[in-house]
Amino acid sequence: MANFLQSIRSRVERIDPMTLSYLGLLGIPSYFFGSLSPLRWFMFFWLLALWPLVKALLPTSNDDSAVEFDTDWRWRGRFLVSNLLVMVNPFVLVQSMAQMVGYVVVLVRYLGRPPAPGRFDQQTDLTLPFSGTWTVVNGGVKKEDSHSWSIIAQRYAYDFVVTDGNGRTHDGDGTVAEEYFCYGEPMLAPADGRVVKTKDGYRDSPYFRGMLDPLQRDIRGNFVTIQHAENEYSVLAHLQEESITVEEGERVERGQQVGRCGHSGNSTEPHLHFQLQDRPSFYVSAGLPITFSGVGIADDKSGETERGNRRSIRGGLRVTAVDSS
């Protein structure tokens, strides 16, 4: 009996409140068909979509992180207020709804078993989409490392920044984009492919230190989507305004510059968002677990770099693009 109860508790603890918020979709038909009015109770599940805001206010303990975060209450307060403002932004609201619908579409397409490590065979040898050494802020192939587990297209996405020896991402007080070490750095095609979608012209956010841009027009900001193989598309997002150097339909080679690291879209500070997905659409795609070739992982204690091919990475690691040959 004790083992049974422990099993139930373990399953409950793995439930993601954001995933449960999708049950709110069941309440929508009740507003069109009177006979389905009892389904309106499902609308209360939408409140669980506020979980990221609640989570941001909870105390955290992340001793293994390689990035120094400003976690005081002023940071948390700015993040909370700006998130509330973003949530009523009509452009972001439409995109959020599209992501929710996309979640259902992907689950139906894969019969409830979307791609995951062990049942996805990556065709493309992907290298890191930058040169030099960067820090993985978050992301990985496990739920506990995930960038956004409940958003199925971003399930295996990564956020990258550049840090100094103290884990800081910027000089000064971090209120100017140019103070951030990664801002303006070249973003590179991770493999040969064809550009299928680009967007430029969105401003780099004037806000920093935990605050999102409430006037953003696209959560990706400026971005580039590249097809590398059948059902394998990479996305580089939050790029610097007017920095994209490729056009839709253009062929690109591994290592070719496609833009610069920026601070556009749903971003609290300059960084690169990178993901691999199975469709060109950002909304109805399944995120794909990524392995990188030509990647070095720094051991800050020994000062050595471990090199390898076709390996996964996770948040907290410092990674370097090295020769994959």
Side-chain angles (χ1 to χ4, degrees):
M1 184 63 176
N3 290 337
F4 174 75
L5 293 176
Q6 180 62 33
S7 175
I8 295 298
R9 179 180 179 181
S10 177
R11 290 176 181 274
V12 170
E13 288 177 344
R14 290 200 298 266
I15 295 175
D16 184 357
M18 276 294 292
T19 300
L20 287 178
S21 71
Y22 294 130
L23 290 174
L25 291 169
L26 296 176
I28 294 177
S30 66
Y31 290 91
F32 299 95
F33 306 98
S35 60
L36 299 179
S37 59
L39 294 180
R40 290 186 185 180
W41 289 102
F42 280 98
M43 299 300 287
F44 284 103
F45 280 99
W46 289 123
L47 294 176
L48 294 175
L50 298 174
W51 171 244
L53 305 185
V54 176
K55 187 177 181 180
L57 296 177
L58 297 176
T60 58
S61 177
N62 191 15
D63 296 335
D64 294 331
S65 175
V67 183
E68 178 185 293
F69 292 103
D70 181 356
T71 55
D72 63 27
W73 286 104
R74 290 173 298 175
W75 189 99
R76 296 172 188 268
R78 287 192 292 267
F79 181 79
L80 175 63
V81 171
S82 62
N83 257 281
L84 292 173
L85 292 174
V86 166
M87 289 177 68
V88 298
N89 178 321
F91 297 102
V92 175
L93 183 61
V94 169
Q95 288 185 305
S96 298
M97 293 299 296
Q99 287 181 318
M100 291 182 175
V101 173
Y103 188 100
V104 176
V105 170
V106 170
L107 288 183
V108 171
R109 189 165 73 235
Y110 284 98
L111 301 178
R113 288 172 55 84
R119 58 172 184 263
F120 168 65
D121 185 16
Q122 183 176 315
Q123 304 174 61
T124 310
D125 278 324
L126 295 174
T127 53
L128 294 169
F130 44 74
S131 59
T133 299
W134 290 56
T135 296
V136 186
V137 180
N138 54 51
V141 297
K142 297 181 180 179
K143 182 177 180 179
E144 55 266 30
D145 300 319
S146 176
H147 174 285
S148 301
W149 188 264
S150 59
I151 303 176
I152 204 162
Q154 300 182 46
R155 178 164 291 183
Y156 302 109
Y158 291 94
D159 282 339
F160 295 100
V161 297
V162 175
T163 59
D164 63 15
N166 297 317
R168 288 175 55 84
T169 60
H170 57 82
D171 283 325
D173 58 6
T175 56
V176 178
E178 286 74 15
E179 293 180 338
Y180 288 81
F181 305 132
C182 68
Y183 184 75
E185 286 296 305
M187 298 289 91
L188 313 177
D192 296 349
R194 180 176 63 88
V195 178
V196 296
K197 184 72 174 177
T198 68
K199 185 63 182 181
D200 204 343
Y202 292 134
R203 72 176 186 176
D204 285 293
S205 173
Y207 307 106
F208 303 88
R209 299 175 63 81
M211 187 170 180
L212 297 167
D213 184 359
L215 300 180
Q216 61 183 273
R217 300 286 295 274
D218 191 306
I219 58 178
R220 295 164 291 184
N222 306 305
F223 68 90
V224 174
T225 302
I226 305 171
Q227 181 179 14
H228 303 291
E230 184 178 5
N231 300 330
E232 289 187 7
Y233 300 78
S234 66
V235 178
L236 295 86
H238 305 309
L239 303 183
Q240 184 179 353
E241 183 180 12
E242 298 183 356
S243 75
I244 293 177
T245 58
V246 294
E247 298 179 350
E248 294 179 12
E250 180 179 340
R251 296 290 304 180
V252 294
E253 297 180 354
R254 182 192 311 277
Q256 179 178 336
Q257 182 173 331
V258 298
R260 292 186 179 276
C261 185
H263 183 38
S264 57
N266 207 49
S267 172
T268 57
E269 70 172 63
H271 72 285
L272 170 68
H273 170 103
F274 179 80
Q275 69 184 56
L276 189 67
Q277 58 192 41
D278 71 341
R279 295 288 191 276
S281 170
F282 184 72
Y283 305 106
V284 295
S285 293
L288 304 174
I290 305 171
T291 57
F292 290 97
S293 295
V295 59
I297 298 179
D299 185 334
D300 291 332
K301 293 182 180 179
S302 67
E304 298 180 352
T305 298
E306 178 185 350
R307 291 169 167 79
N309 286 327
R310 283 297 183 120
R311 63 187 307 167
S312 60
I313 58 178
R314 59 174 175 79
L317 296 177
R318 288 166 57 84
V319 295
T320 305
V322 297
D323 186 359
S324 60
S325 60

